[in-house]
Amino acid sequence: MDRSKTKKIQNTRIVMTNIFMGLSVIAIVFILMLVAMGFSFNENGGLEQSGLLQLSSHPSGATVEIDGETQFSRTEINKMLSSGEHQVKITKSGYDTWETKVRVDAGLLTHISWVRLFPLNPVTEDVSTYEQARLISFSSDHKNLLYSEQNSTKLQFINLQGDTLKTNKINLSDILDTKDSDTLRAANLSVISWNNANNKVLLNWTHDNIIEWILADLEKPENSINLTQKFNLVFNRILIANDSASKLWAVENGNLRLIDLSNSAISSAKITGIEYINNNNDVVAYLRTGIATNDAGVESTVRYLETFREGESGASLVADLTEDNPTNFTIALGTYWGEEWLSYSSNNKVTILTGKYPSYGKSGKNTLKTSLKREIDYAPTRISTTSEQRIVAYADAGRVMSFDFETKDYYDIKLNSETSTYWLDDYIIWQYEEDKVTIRDFNGHNYRDLITETDNQLPICLTANNKWLYYFDVKEQEVETTETEEGEPATEATSEAETQTIQYVLKREKLNI
């Protein structure tokens, strides 16, 4: 036997085996990578890439149909689907139905997190009765209600999360810094905004044709501040600049100032000529009007959209709007998944910019990129966004245009009523229509009745724990009174008269049956 030849054959076999095993491992890893990336073979034997669809719902445990086929799993589910549009239907016994078309992109995750089902036969209960309201405001985190009755000297700060309401009564004298009961009872109050911690509110107090700005501390009312009196200035607008509301942006006579309550200071004018302003914490965006002089010495009015950041020495130009000559102008700012955005409308032109707010210290130029620029057939009068700041909506009577910062899609929605629209949560719009409240998703889909047989247009709230839907019912009640002709307490022989009083009944529906 030729030992050298035998050994050579053995070595060759070992090498070939190792090569085969290595190629097999590479092939397996490659196949697993393709599977992880959503690739699969279609019915024609071709390789195609799928996308992952995630579906969650409130309440969970709902049945899911995709393209007419009932899925084995219930919400929440993950499902690999071919790229393109798919019909999704979600149902649960005792609840209404939610369905829409969903676009799945190859190799990407599509997360549908706004599916909300409401009971078909909701159980409604009266939880509290109040005298006629002069102030109703639900907190931005959907946990609390601020209520003040007409002719009352108190505010009621009500926690809505539990089965039983927890109410803290606050003396208006601690907030308005006056002991005059007549003044307290006649005070006209309105909530401008809540801070992010939802323990302070910015109030307007109107009396004797004077508007005063109040920062009310709901946990320590004695620490509330009358900003108008403290700084002895007439403010056009005030914006909360941080979570604790220790810093505020203020516009006075067209001048932008920064209030720092930690040291009770107000800055000199940062910017002048401001007409409209909004902010995202320490960054403000505004429409500024000024006068420019050309080479011939002729003056003309100019209008600029600019941003200003706390701590910087100057403003940054975003857009020159002089030619637009805006008569209807709105601005909103936000941050979604670390990406900053600025959205504005000038007359009937809507522009949405994303990226990073410009910094004066670096270049002073606009570094935002255009995600949407289009003309619509109406001039928006209201702009709003949600707490998550994923969706922004422009509205006017009977119309809404919404934009999704995750998908960069926009939706034109024709409403059935010209009443104002509001956010029920981060994805659902509600409004009053004749004698009912209706809802629809931010893209216009899943139009449904939410509350029937109501003719008042008062705020409603879906609580943060997804347990309750709160709303008000207004009732007129006839009260029999007995008086003498002189108005003194009557005897049995005097006649009875009827008067009407208005009561506000706080109702709620349980969402998880």
Side-chain angles (χ1 to χ4, degrees), residues 172-371:
L172 276 175
S173 58
D174 293 334
I175 292 175
L176 302 183
D177 194 24
T178 178
K179 302 298 183 181
D180 187 339
S181 60
D182 290 338
T183 299
L184 296 174
R185 294 178 189 279
N188 189 351
L189 300 171
S190 59
V191 172
I192 304 304
S193 61
W194 293 68
N195 68 330
N196 287 340
N198 289 283
N199 60 355
K200 295 178 182 178
V201 292
L202 193 61
L203 291 171
N204 272 169
W205 173 28
T206 305
H207 62 98
D208 301 323
N209 295 320
I210 299 172
I211 299 176
E212 297 189 9
W213 294 78
I214 313 292
L215 183 63
D217 190 322
L218 302 177
E219 295 178 347
K220 298 180 178 180
E222 66 276 9
N223 292 339
S224 301
I225 301 171
N226 186 319
L227 300 165
T228 301
Q229 293 182 10
K230 183 175 183 63
F231 297 106
N232 195 27
L233 291 170
V234 178
F235 295 111
N236 308 110
R237 190 167 188 195
I238 296 180
L239 304 166
I240 296 174
N242 60 3
D243 290 348
S244 64
S246 63
K247 291 186 177 182
L248 308 164
W249 292 108
V251 178
E252 166 270 325
N253 195 28
N255 300 316
L256 176 65
R257 298 174 182 268
L258 180 64
I259 297 174
D260 189 344
L261 295 176
S262 63
N263 56 18
S264 299
I266 185 168
S267 72
S268 58
K270 303 285 188 181
I271 306 293
T272 61
I274 288 180
E275 291 188 7
Y276 188 97
I277 186 171
N278 212 334
N279 77 310
N280 183 14
N281 292 330
D282 64 338
V283 177
V284 292
Y286 51 86
L287 178 66
R288 182 174 67 84
T289 299
I291 301 296
T293 305
N294 63 15
D295 295 339
V298 178
E299 294 184 344
S300 61
T301 301
V302 292
R303 291 178 173 85
Y304 301 127
L305 174 61
E306 297 176 338
T307 60
F308 181 86
R309 189 187 301 267
E310 180 190 354
E312 295 186 347
S313 57
S316 300
L317 178 67
V318 175
D320 185 343
L321 301 176
T322 301
E323 292 186 1
D324 285 356
N325 190 23
T327 55
N328 290 286
F329 190 83
T330 58
I331 313 173
L333 298 86
T335 304
Y336 181 69
W337 280 92
E339 181 181 63
E340 295 173 332
W341 57 263
L342 188 157
S343 179
Y344 67 95
S345 68
S346 177
N347 300 327
N348 69 326
K349 299 176 182 178
V350 173
T351 303
I352 298 177
L353 308 170
T354 56
K356 196 74 175 175
Y357 298 136
S359 174
Y360 181 81
K362 294 181 179 179
S363 64
K365 295 181 180 179
N366 180 24
T367 56
L368 297 167
K369 296 181 179 179
T370 302
S371 290

Side-chain angles (χ1 to χ4, degrees), residues 11-225:
N11 288 338
T12 301
R13 288 176 177 172
I14 292 173
V15 170
M16 294 300 293
T17 300
N18 288 337
I19 292 174
F20 176 77
M21 291 177 65
L23 291 174
S24 298
V25 170
I26 292 173
I28 292 172
V29 171
F30 181 71
I31 291 172
L32 290 175
M33 287 179 61
L34 289 177
V35 172
M37 294 171 63
F39 284 95
S40 61
F41 290 100
N42 58 29
E43 56 186 14
N44 298 322
L47 190 64
E48 65 178 11
Q49 188 176 19
S50 300
L52 178 62
L53 175 64
Q54 287 185 346
L55 283 167
S56 57
S57 68
H58 293 292
S60 59
T63 301
V64 179
E65 290 183 21
I66 300 178
D67 298 329
E69 181 180 341
T70 301
Q71 304 301 301
F72 175 75
S73 300
R74 297 189 176 186
T75 56
E76 306 181 349
I77 72 168
N78 299 318
K79 180 73 174 180
M80 296 297 297
L81 296 172
S82 60
S83 61
E85 284 194 340
H86 297 271
Q87 187 71 28
V88 175
K89 182 178 180 180
I90 297 180
T91 58
K92 187 170 185 175
S93 178
Y95 292 84
D96 57 9
T97 299
W98 185 97
E99 61 181 316
T100 192
K101 284 185 177 180
V102 176
R103 188 186 71 229
V104 176
D105 296 319
L108 298 179
L109 166 66
T110 301
H111 185 200
I112 306 299
S113 58
W114 59 87
V115 179
R116 192 175 288 278
L117 307 176
F118 291 91
L120 290 172
N121 299 300
V123 177
T124 304
E125 60 176 306
D126 297 351
V127 290
S128 190
T129 301
Y130 305 95
E131 296 302 316
Q132 185 172 355
R134 63 171 158 182
L135 183 148
I136 298 174
S137 179
F138 291 104
S139 62
S140 54
D141 64 358
H142 296 216
K143 293 181 179 180
N144 302 296
L145 166 64
L146 194 63
Y147 192 96
S148 179
E149 297 175 329
Q150 293 281 10
N151 301 316
S152 173
T153 61
K154 296 183 182 298
L155 278 177
Q156 299 188 53
F157 186 37
I158 307 164
N159 186 286
L160 304 172
Q161 293 285 92
D163 292 344
T164 302
L165 298 184
K166 296 180 179 180
T167 302
N168 181 27
K169 293 187 177 182
I170 302 170
N171 291 323
L172 276 175
S173 58
D174 293 334
I175 292 175
L176 302 183
D177 194 24
T178 178
K179 302 298 183 181
D180 187 339
S181 60
D182 290 338
T183 299
L184 296 174
R185 294 178 189 279
N188 189 351
L189 300 171
S190 59
V191 172
I192 304 304
S193 61
W194 293 68
N195 68 330
N196 287 340
N198 289 283
N199 60 355
K200 295 178 182 178
V201 292
L202 193 61
L203 291 171
N204 272 169
W205 173 28
T206 305
H207 62 98
D208 301 323
N209 295 320
I210 299 172
I211 299 176
E212 297 189 9
W213 294 78
I214 313 292
L215 183 63
D217 190 322
L218 302 177
E219 295 178 347
K220 298 180 178 180
E222 66 276 9
N223 292 339
S224 301
I225 301 171

Side-chain angles (χ1 to χ4, degrees), residues 25 176 251-252 296 308 339 376 387 390 392 401 418 426 465:
V25 170
L176 302 183
V251 178
E252 166 270 325
F308 181 86
E339 181 181 63
I376 55 181
S387 60
R390 171 177 166 173
V392 63
M401 191 206 82
E418 294 188 354
D426 279 323
N465 57 9

